Amino acid sequence: MGYFKVLLTRFIHSNRNNIFNRSRQKLTNMAEKNDSLSNIITIDGSYLEGGGQILRNSTALSVLLEIPIRVEKIRAGRSQGGLRPQHLTGIQLLSQLSEAKLHNGNIGATEIIFTPRTIKGGNYIADTKTAGSVCLMMQTAIPCLLFANNSSYLRLLGGTNAEFAPEIDYYSMVFQPIARRFNFNFDINLVRRGYYPKGGGEVRITVNPIDQLTAVDLTEFGQIKRFFGRAFVAGTLSKRIAYEMAEAAEKLIHKQYSKDIPIEIQVVKEPDNMAIGTATGIIVGAETTTGCILASSALGKRGVPANDVGTQATEDLLYDLSYQACVDRHLQDQLIILMALAKGHSKIRCGPLSDHTKTAIFVAELLTKVKFKVTEVSSLKTEHDQSNSTTLQASATSASNTSNSTFIVECEGLGYQRRS
């Protein structure tokens, strides 16, 4: 009987210790959590464009600056709010490469808490399992991996040519060469194209770390020296459709510009082993004598004539060129984060600011404390007349009244450096 009493006493004592230890650990975890979130920054995901861009920019800057963030009202401006597969996949990728804690990372979630640690180079795979854009994942991951402790290799799967997102051709033809001017370097290997609704595209990215981004000045337009582009069909569609898109683009360009300016639009029927799905589309771009590169793209849709698709992409490009913009409407917002991080004073010249750009400025100012200046330059003033400098909101309002106004966006960058 005494033996069992001893065992019972030991059991009770052990159980008390276990309960005490578990309670102590729980309190410790709570204290650590409260400490890590003491400087958390809350971001309103419904601001302006109210889409996934706020999420992408804020989580990328969170990783780089090692700032915990809470993003609420995620994609409140969209008909189907909350996290969709491509957004969640992108955030999970950032979580992997920064050893971050992600709270509430679920499809449909309208609020997340993201607490990053250290950026780690290495091999990473991200698969949307949909036709969600691989380029939008690239937008968030590559700036972070530029400042990793060693080289990184990304294997991204999803849609390479998707609606409401930069296409892979835009990324390689426009974003990549302009980004190099910031000392933002990476290599793209397009393994396979993937289209809506199946996706299945694959892109492999190599990123070697740098110490710092450099400031750029993209305010001198120069003269247009060439037009370029790529018209494609994939799957069961006839190559003739691609020719019709290209011909419509060339015809419209010749109405506006001299026939002495070369136009080089590649017409392609995608090989079956290099593309999944049936699709058609075109990208049309222009390069100037000062190194400015602008472009716009359009994807074909059932019932929309091929020449209308070519015309749409070209009209969008010509609209930006009419302002003598050095940065097109699609690139504006993508450069804001680079300008904020770079060392030195960056300036870009563009047409009316998009909501995406205004949103990118809002997030960058909130997290980096860098201040952006937006100056409206009317058609009657030179770029050197700074008397018309306004706030971002006033510039946006004035743009609707002064159709020929251009805008100079500038900031003194943070001078962010890679941590050793």
Side-chain angles (χ1 to χ4, degrees), residues 162-302:
E163 291 268 31
F164 311 114
E167 299 185 31
I168 192 65
D169 305 288
Y170 183 91
Y171 229 72
S172 61
M173 293 178 178
V174 180
F175 179 82
Q176 191 175 28
I178 297 299
R180 288 195 191 105
R181 298 174 69 161
F182 285 89
N183 190 33
F184 185 119
N185 298 301
F186 60 97
D187 294 323
I188 300 178
N189 176 20
L190 176 57
V191 178
R192 184 175 55 252
R193 292 175 181 269
Y195 309 111
Y196 181 83
K198 293 182 179 180
E202 180 176 346
V203 177
R204 297 181 184 181
I205 310 293
T206 303
V207 185
N208 293 313
I210 62 171
D211 290 325
Q212 203 165 47
L213 293 171
T214 55
V216 301
D217 185 333
L218 293 170
T219 55
E220 294 295 331
F221 182 79
Q223 302 293 322
I224 297 174
K225 70 176 185 180
R226 74 179 182 109
F227 288 94
F228 63 90
R230 186 178 192 273
F232 75 90
V233 294
T236 59
L237 298 177
S238 166
K239 192 175 181 179
R240 182 61 209 164
I241 295 173
Y243 278 111
E244 290 176 7
M245 290 187 293
E247 288 165 2
E250 292 181 17
K251 182 178 179 181
L252 189 53
I253 290 170
H254 281 150
K255 282 185 177 180
Q256 299 286 335
Y257 292 93
S258 168
K259 292 185 179 181
D260 293 334
I261 301 175
I263 302 176
E264 305 155 355
I265 299 179
Q266 182 184 17
V267 176
V268 180
K269 167 76 171 178
E270 304 288 8
D272 290 341
N273 64 334
M274 289 289 292
I276 293 181
T278 297
T280 180
I282 186 172
I283 180 170
V284 185
E287 182 180 1
T288 76
T289 52
T290 56
C292 300
I293 304 174
L294 302 86
S296 190
S297 61
L299 294 173
K301 295 176 182 171
R302 188 182 297 275

Side-chain angles (χ1 to χ4, degrees), residues 94-114:
L94 287 185
S95 298
Q96 289 181 57
L97 61 88
S98 66
E99 299 181 331
K101 292 182 180 179
L102 173 60
H103 173 71
N104 209 24
N106 306 300
I107 300 295
T110 57
E111 178 177 319
I112 63 164
I113 296 176
F114 186 83

